[in-house]
Amino acid sequence: GLLPAAMFALGRCGGGAGPLAARLCGAPLAKRGMLTWNTLPEEVVMVRDMARQFAEQELFPIAGDADAQHKYPRAQVEKLGELGLMGMMVPEEYGGAGMSSLAYAVAMEEISRGCASTGVIMSAHNSLYCAPVEKYGTPEQKEEFLAEYAQGAKVGCFGLSEPGNGSDAGAATTTAKEDGGDWVLNG
């Protein structure tokens, strides 16, 4: 089934520092430093195949109706969490899969192919919620605000829109200022 293959694949290839090839689990690089589908690391191929199978079995059948009816694909998002896809680049110590950005990008492509809405949910959760908490949070914040999210038990979000700037995050004018023991939000 999907789960054993996913857990095997997501338990390997934790990324790391060093040259690009080392960060991609020692993947051989094709000419001019570009990876092709034929040179993906074995672990990334396993993640791709697992995500593709999930998309074909779980997302294709519901994608049209979910979009037309504006339905949140709750059951499918919960399954993404069970497969380790909701905390792909989060370190294992915080409940994530500890995978590389390459594995994440490949999985995103397959999930989005199955259902664009589900792909956006997975992307926002991994990139706009988990990544900043993992990068900038204190150990206590990571424990409180990352562990359950990386496992998919909770879904994170990113507040973006403001009147007058649409989805341009750089144009946001909302401020948060500490006032004694409270925070005052304006914007």
Side-chain angles (χ1 to χ4, degrees):
L2 290 177
L3 194 55
M7 292 304 106
F8 172 78
L10 296 176
R12 311 253 325 260
C13 190
L20 177 62
R23 288 197 315 263
L24 300 176
C25 305
L29 298 176
K31 292 180 183 178
R32 297 186 309 195
M34 298 179 69
L35 289 171
T36 67
W37 288 117
N38 295 331
T39 61
L40 289 175
E42 179 183 352
E43 293 84 359
V44 175
V45 171
M46 292 176 67
V47 169
R48 180 199 63 199
D49 293 347
M50 181 265 304
R52 180 177 291 167
Q53 183 179 357
F54 178 79
E56 290 172 354
Q57 293 177 356
E58 301 284 338
L59 299 177
F60 286 174
I62 62 99
D65 185 54
D67 285 346
Q69 302 297 320
H70 307 281
K71 291 181 182 175
Y72 179 79
R74 183 175 314 280
Q76 289 74 20
V77 171
E78 288 174 2
K79 289 178 183 177
L80 288 175
E82 292 169 9
L83 293 173
L85 297 175
M86 294 298 278
M88 288 194 70
M89 296 181 295
V90 174
E92 292 179 29
E93 67 184 288
Y94 294 111
M99 295 294 293
S100 68
S101 56
L102 176 63
Y104 169 61
V106 169
M108 273 301 313
E109 182 173 71
E110 292 298 331
I111 296 303
S112 297
R113 188 174 65 87
C115 176
S117 297
T118 305
V120 169
I121 293 164
M122 180 182 156
S123 174
H125 176 82
N126 274 280
S127 299
L128 299 175
Y129 180 81
C130 289
V133 174
E134 193 276 321
K135 183 170 184 169
Y136 300 108
T138 65
E140 296 79 18
Q141 289 170 327
K142 291 177 186 182
E143 192 62 42
E144 183 176 353
F145 300 112
L146 192 57
E148 289 183 284
Y149 293 85
Q151 297 169 4
K154 294 182 178 181
V155 177
C157 63
F158 176 77
L160 177 60
S161 283
E162 287 184 346
N165 74 328
S167 61
D168 181 1
T173 59
T174 298
T175 60
K177 294 186 180 184
E178 192 171 9
D179 183 14
D182 297 320
W183 286 88
V184 177
L185 300 177
N186 284 308

